[in-house]
Amino acid sequence: MITNREAGTRIDEIVDGIYRISTPVSKLPGGFSFNQYLILDDEPLLFHTGPRRLFPLVREAIASVMPVDRLRHISFSHYEADECGALNEFLAAAPSATPLCGRVAALVSVTDIADRAPRSMDNGETLSLGSHTVQWHDTPHLPHAWECGFLYEMRTRTLLCSDLFSQGGAEHPPLTEADILGPSEAFRAQMDYYSHTRNGRAMIERLAALQPKTLACMHGSAWRGDGASLLRALGERLERTAAI
Ligand SMILES: [Fe+2]
Ligand SMILES: [Fe+2]
């Protein structure tokens, strides 16, 4: 469903109760897209706020499925503008919401920059939202940033995988079963956004062991299929190109 005709922002339910909000940005070379994910539940959770300048568009998309002031958790993988640039705008729009992030992000950045104190999660810790349960997974420096981590929604087996599998281009179907590793590797060849950590393969294996069925990517389409196999294929490609 398109929620802003001028910008092309849309919101689509990709799996039971989990919505992908996406805004195409054709001004960037080759085009790009910024996605956020809304888990609609008793305690609604937003994963990625989008850059601060996209706040009106993301707010408008959320408002098409629920009142924005119902948001309870504003979560993100790591401290970057597309992850949490509009954090304080959302905290102002949703008085019961708090930031939700990993321990390192809380310690290093979020406690200082956020207008309300964050709730930090330990590796493996779970949080019930009602009918969905999210689990935090620390992935330091994978693909980048010391504080990096991902949320995994256990009931739908959805890995909110942030910048893993970033696909270039502005226009993408909300959910695909087609190959996204090829497009994300093509994008990585242009933009060296992985950190080259030595521990990447082991962290990817930990994520693969979750056997996700949906990968909720921040840039490009969300993907449905055998997530364990796709993650392991990514690990092999990273190792082969000495990126981890
Ligand atoms: Fe990032
Ligand atoms: Fe990103």
Side-chain angles (χ1 to χ4, degrees):
M1 175 173 61
I2 300 279
T3 53
N4 190 291
R5 268 203 192 280
E6 205 180 324
T9 303
R10 62 181 298 146
I11 184 164
D12 300 274
E13 188 172 11
I14 55 158
V15 62
D16 185 25
I18 303 185
Y19 293 77
R20 170 186 178 271
I21 299 161
S22 186
T23 302
V25 181
S26 43
K27 275 184 244 152
L28 295 173
F32 205 44
S33 62
F34 292 102
N35 305 334
Q36 303 79 39
Y37 291 90
L38 172 68
I39 305 181
L40 188 55
D41 211 317
D42 297 340
E43 297 189 12
L45 180 148
L46 181 67
F47 196 68
H48 313 147
T49 68
R52 188 166 59 93
R53 288 178 206 288
L54 293 190
F55 171 68
L57 295 170
V58 179
R59 178 184 54 189
E60 183 177 42
I62 294 170
S64 73
V65 294
M66 66 163 229
V68 175
D69 63 6
R70 272 196 62 213
L71 279 171
R72 289 289 300 278
H73 308 283
I74 313 294
S75 191
F76 47 90
S77 165
H78 49 280
Y79 186 64
E80 273 179 347
D82 56 0
E83 296 275 351
C84 59
L87 175 60
N88 285 329
E89 281 78 358
F90 274 108
L91 293 178
S96 304
T98 49
L100 182 72
C101 58
R103 274 178 306 117
V104 175
L107 183 72
V108 173
S109 299
V110 185
T111 300
D112 183 65
I113 61 94
D115 288 339
R116 281 201 288 284
R119 171 177 180 158
S120 66
M121 293 183 83
D122 287 328
N123 187 42
E125 188 178 340
T126 60
L127 172 68
S128 172
L129 307 176
S131 67
H132 299 83
T133 299
V134 290
Q135 182 175 44
W136 181 263
H137 291 271
D138 282 333
T139 57
H141 307 291
L142 180 75
H144 49 241
W146 174 29
E147 70 277 14
C148 195
F150 305 117
L151 278 183
Y152 178 61
E153 200 293 302
M154 300 169 84
R155 184 166 66 77
T156 60
R157 306 186 84 108
T158 300
L159 182 64
L160 297 151
C161 65
S162 176
D163 290 330
L164 297 182
F165 304 105
S166 288
Q167 305 140 57
E171 300 290 342
H172 304 271
L175 182 65
T176 185
E177 294 181 357
D179 176 48
I180 59 167
L181 181 58
S184 75
E185 283 296 283
F187 186 70
R188 190 170 67 85
Q190 299 165 17
M191 306 273 278
D192 185 21
Y193 68 92
Y194 271 69
S195 73
H196 305 249
T197 173
R198 289 188 304 274
N199 303 321
R201 197 70 192 266
M203 286 187 277
I204 285 176
E205 184 50 43
R206 205 156 34 76
L207 298 173
L210 298 169
Q211 299 191 303
K213 289 181 179 166
T214 302
L215 300 175
C217 307
M218 183 196 239
H219 308 287
S221 294
W223 182 85
R224 182 167 57 201
D226 177 355
S229 295
L230 192 69
L231 283 159
R232 288 183 178 120
L234 171 65
E236 277 166 29
R237 292 288 286 270
L238 293 171
E239 208 162 66
R240 213 182 315 146
T241 53
I244 57 174

